[in-house]
Amino acid sequence: GVRKTIMRRGSSVATSAPRPLRSGSRTRAASADHGVGGGGVVFTSEQIAAATRGQVLRRGGPGSITTDSRTARQGTWFLGLKGERYDGRMFASEAIARGCAGVVLEARDEEEAHKLRQSAEATGGDAGLVLVQGNSGGLDSLHGLARSVRDAFPGSVIGVTGSCGKTTTRSLASHLLRGLVSGGVHETEGNENNLVGVPRTLLGIRADTSHCVLELGMDRPGEIDTLQDLCSPDVRVVTNVGLAHLQGCGGTIEGVARAKAELVTTARPGDVCVLNADDPRVAAMRPPTGAETLLFGRGAGCDVRILASAPAGEDGLRSRVELDLGGGLGRVDAQVCQPGHRNVAENAAAACAVLVALGVDFDPAVLSTGLSTFTSSLQDGRGRAREFWFEGKAVAVIDETYNSNPTSTMAALATLSDPAVGGGHAVLGDMLELGEASADQHAAVLRRCLQDRGIRSVHLVGSLFREALEAEGRAAGTKARWHDDPRAAAAAALAGCKDGDV
């Protein structure tokens, strides 16, 4: 065990692990005093009605909640969600046919309630039915159920947001916690970081869970506020503010910063805000009185400081990271199996800062081993590096295509052009949701590629990059080509690859 002295902005706090965070500070709802099963939290009919403010029209057996009729089975309640392109309530009969314990349906008026009830009962059987009056398409019901889970959850919740790096930070923090705490660690899976995914993740908490690590995404103001209200994080992490979702945030990076800051400005007494001191927009965020701040970054004043980072491995697609954990906690030196050492260092520092904020007991050597054994669970398109065998050549691919934005694209290009990686080829598709900044940002990314000698060829797809290339004119030379099909761009890039290229 290590005795910890945590130095935070404006305060010096001595803690001995584990440090309880606001124990008992949340109001516990009577309706949430339910058991937890292997598939997530289990509700009775009455508990569902209390959490959703609905009415039990027919009682059903206890069960966990699913919003997908295809996964409905005995021991589950189906909650139908109505979206822009689908109406899940219409699949209630299918869920009942699969043997679910009951269905939860939201109706805006008596006429719609009658139709939904008839549809649900057409299958027959004795499945339960909870009817909710509302006009949210079931989203309010989902949120009510999730909020009741959070109210009853005695463990710690960590919320992570940011324009880039939130998935890696969340995965790293979860990985480290699993090796250091005795209870279970529950975390966001895939892209479940929105107004539907976050409550579904909360509903999946299991009986042995001691820590829940949630990724919080947004594409417009107010979403982070809603999500933090649902999950009420004890530790609130902001990785950075970048050029993402500009269109929904007033077209400016300042609008993005204000939206991300909702996680900080809503903090409660006892919460800890883990902030990136190297990002001026994040460093400027201020929590309310009573909440604490813990900084990570490269500056001398950081609580968790990045001392060094560099490419590692024969192909340069690993990252060596050295951190000072502050407060006499020691140093960490690790090789993380992920490319982009600058970003990886920030993500690793943020994850370690989460441990410090929670008061988790650890040995720096064990922490170094934990970082070095991290295997990215990133889904395709989120910065994963993989090697392919193609016509007798080994070619590594860094995939940054998932909802890519100028900030993440520039970071990927920096990794590609690093001398340790050896340079390579860029295949770029249009970046969306940039609003009025779209033309300028596509031009900036293309110009970066053209000016970088480490990038040997550039292959473009999409109308936005086509316009950017046309605007460059002769300056683009033969280095950049536009293709009308992604497969054609991939084929052209691979044709120009040598063995070992990226």
Side-chain angles (χ1 to χ4, degrees):
V2 180
R3 179 79 178 173
K4 300 175 178 61
T5 301
I6 306 173
M7 301 297 295
R8 300 192 180 91
R9 181 189 292 162
S11 66
S12 176
V13 183
T15 68
S16 180
R19 181 170 70 90
L21 288 166
R22 297 177 3 274
S23 177
S25 65
R26 275 186 72 90
T27 302
R28 298 219 172 187
S31 62
D33 187 22
H34 42 65
V36 179
V41 179
V42 174
F43 294 82
T44 65
S45 306
E46 290 75 18
Q47 289 164 352
I48 292 172
T52 62
R53 299 181 180 180
Q55 181 182 5
V56 179
L57 298 185
R58 187 169 58 249
R59 295 188 65 192
S64 55
I65 305 296
T66 180
T67 60
D68 186 344
S69 62
R70 295 169 297 183
T71 64
R73 63 185 187 281
Q74 187 176 2
T76 65
W77 277 76
F78 170 68
L79 169 59
L81 296 177
K82 184 179 185 299
E84 294 180 0
R85 296 186 299 272
Y86 62 89
D87 189 346
R89 300 174 303 175
M90 297 297 101
F91 295 92
S93 58
E94 177 184 325
I96 293 172
R98 290 176 179 269
C100 71
V103 296
V104 185
L105 302 174
E106 181 182 301
R108 62 177 180 269
D109 53 38
E110 289 294 331
E111 181 181 354
E112 186 175 58
H114 180 69
K115 290 180 180 178
L116 290 174
R117 184 173 181 176
Q118 280 190 323
S119 175
E121 293 176 342
T123 310
D126 57 356
L129 175 61
V130 173
L131 192 64
V132 182
Q133 184 175 355
N135 197 32
S136 73
L139 195 62
D140 287 348
S141 297
L142 181 66
H143 288 186
L145 290 162
R147 192 174 284 108
S148 75
V149 172
R150 178 59 181 109
D151 285 342
F153 179 56
S156 297
V157 174
I158 300 95
V160 184
T161 194
S163 297
C164 302
K166 57 182 175 288
T167 300
T168 302
T169 299
R170 180 259 300 166
S171 298
L172 271 169
S174 299
H175 172 73
L176 295 175
L177 282 169
R178 286 191 179 95
L180 295 169
V181 300
S182 57
V185 178
H186 185 65
E187 67 172 311
T188 300
E189 294 184 357
N191 60 352
E192 291 278 270
N193 63 7
N194 55 27
L195 295 174
V196 173
V198 170
R200 284 199 297 212
T201 302
L202 285 169
L203 290 170
I205 286 177
R206 296 172 183 267
D208 66 343
T209 300
S210 63
H211 294 78
C212 181
V213 188
L214 297 172
E215 185 177 324
L216 310 179
M218 70 91 201
D219 61 13
R220 66 198 65 193
E223 287 193 35
I224 294 294
D225 188 16
T226 299
L227 294 176
Q228 71 79 29
D229 181 63
L230 282 177
C231 66
S232 191
D234 303 294
V235 178
R236 299 162 179 249
V237 185
V238 183
T239 60
N240 52 48
V241 172
L243 298 166
H245 304 299
L246 292 175
Q247 188 171 357
C249 295
T252 67
I253 194 170
E254 287 75 23
V256 176
R258 286 191 294 271
K260 295 296 185 184
E262 292 169 5
L263 186 61
V264 177
T265 57
T266 54
R268 297 148 306 147
D271 290 348
V272 182
C273 297
V274 175
L275 305 179
N276 184 352
D278 294 343
D279 186 319
R281 293 181 177 85
V282 177
M285 297 176 183
R286 293 290 186 273
T289 302
E292 301 174 32
T293 300
L294 196 152
L295 300 176
F296 67 92
R298 293 174 172 80
C302 293
D303 301 290
V304 174
R305 186 181 180 189
I306 302 169
L307 299 177
S309 68
E314 293 182 3
D315 54 7
L317 295 180
R318 295 173 65 92
S319 298
R320 180 177 177 270
V321 176
E322 186 178 353
L323 306 175
D324 184 346
L325 302 176
L329 295 179
R331 294 187 174 188
V332 168
D333 192 340
Q335 277 196 25
V336 183
C337 187
Q338 193 160 329
H341 66 92
R342 298 172 187 85
N343 288 356
V344 171
E346 290 187 354
N347 301 154
C352 290
V354 167
L355 302 182
V356 176
L358 289 169
V360 174
D361 220 0
F362 58 79
D363 183 287
V366 174
L367 204 56
S368 297
T369 301
L371 289 172
S372 296
T373 57
F374 172 70
T375 301
S376 175
S377 60
L378 298 179
Q379 65 193 91
D380 288 347
R382 292 183 182 265
R384 176 188 288 178
R386 292 187 294 174
E387 193 168 53
F388 296 88
W389 183 252
F390 177 77
E391 294 184 355
K393 298 176 289 188
V395 177
V397 175
I398 301 172
D399 185 357
E400 190 60 65
T401 54
Y402 181 85
N403 209 14
S404 190
N405 60 66
T407 302
S408 62
T409 301
M410 289 293 199
L413 292 172
T415 299
L416 179 64
S417 61
D418 193 296
V421 175
H425 312 267
V427 183
L428 305 175
D430 286 351
M431 301 171 291
L432 307 181
E433 299 182 45
L434 297 179
E436 294 181 359
S438 182
D440 289 342
Q441 293 304 321
H442 282 83
V445 168
L446 176 56
R447 204 167 294 123
R448 163 77 166 78
C449 293
L450 295 176
Q451 294 171 353
D452 195 323
R453 294 183 179 180
I455 299 175
R456 295 196 289 275
S457 71
V458 185
H459 302 271
L460 307 170
V461 178
S463 60
L464 298 173
F465 267 123
R466 182 177 187 175
E467 292 172 6
L469 182 60
E470 290 173 348
E472 286 295 320
R474 293 183 179 179
T478 59
K479 183 176 182 177
R481 292 173 54 192
W482 182 85
H483 305 267
D484 60 4
D485 178 79
R487 292 178 180 82
L494 287 168
C497 284
K498 303 189 300 293
D499 184 50
D501 272 3
V502 181

